[in-house]
Amino acid sequence: MHLRRYEEADRPAVLALAPRLTEGVAPWRSSEKVLTAVTEWVADALERSGDPASFVYVAEDSDGIAGFVSGEQRTHWSGDPELYVGELVVAPAYEGRGVGRALMDAVTAHARRCGLSTISLETGAANANARAFYGRLGFAEEDVKLTKTLS
């Protein structure tokens, strides 16, 4: 497995992974709208990948792209600078093989190079696998969003 910065030739393979970001979304959300939104998030991240404050890393092997992670440097509402992870996706065939951990290790190294001491991200409350994965990496829950649906 090899990790590297995103290149424009990776675009189709990375966009093909975007639907994985629909997993764990609340059941009252429109699946079509969610798919459109996550695909746009990924496309936007790819467009910004050349910006100094942004990043997209891909994991690849001889069979192609196994996963990607994207994000940017930003300021938390408290005023603290942080590295924000917008998307982390691992292809189903590569789950449990260390790809996600390797991509997050690349994010950690990137944060250190930027002189940042905090990495933040968001995931769906129902995405138990992602929440457990991030917990194993040392992430702690900081905010909770509450939603009420009206009938």
Side-chain angles (χ1 to χ4, degrees):
M1 190 66 50
H2 173 69
L3 268 64
R4 60 174 174 76
R5 297 292 291 232
Y6 164 82
E7 299 170 358
E8 187 59 31
D10 302 324
R11 186 178 187 82
V14 170
L15 285 172
L17 292 173
R20 296 236 44 213
L21 293 167
T22 65
E23 296 173 15
V25 174
W28 58 83
R29 300 293 181 189
S30 160
S31 57
E32 295 83 20
K33 289 179 181 177
V34 168
L35 179 59
T36 297
V38 300
T39 302
E40 288 174 1
W41 294 346
V42 173
D44 288 346
L46 299 181
E47 292 302 317
R48 292 189 318 273
S49 66
D51 296 347
S54 298
F55 64 88
V56 178
Y57 292 104
V58 297
E60 68 176 346
D61 68 7
S62 59
D63 293 327
I65 302 296
F68 75 94
V69 63
S70 67
E72 62 191 353
Q73 187 173 341
R74 69 180 195 182
T75 303
H76 182 267
W77 59 262
S78 66
D80 294 330
E82 65 182 10
L83 196 64
Y84 177 74
V85 175
E87 296 84 26
L88 170 66
V89 180
V90 174
Y94 292 89
E95 280 189 2
R97 295 174 50 188
V99 174
R101 180 176 292 273
L103 287 164
M104 290 304 294
D105 287 347
V107 169
T108 300
H110 185 92
R112 287 191 172 123
R113 283 191 304 275
C114 292
L116 301 170
S117 60
T118 305
I119 301 169
S120 69
L121 55 87
E122 299 169 25
T123 192
N127 196 342
N129 289 339
R131 292 175 71 191
F133 169 74
Y134 293 124
R136 288 191 302 274
L137 295 182
F139 285 81
E141 292 185 8
E142 179 178 15
D143 297 315
V144 176
K145 178 180 179 177
L146 304 174
T147 303
K148 177 181 178 180
T149 59
L150 306 176
S151 19

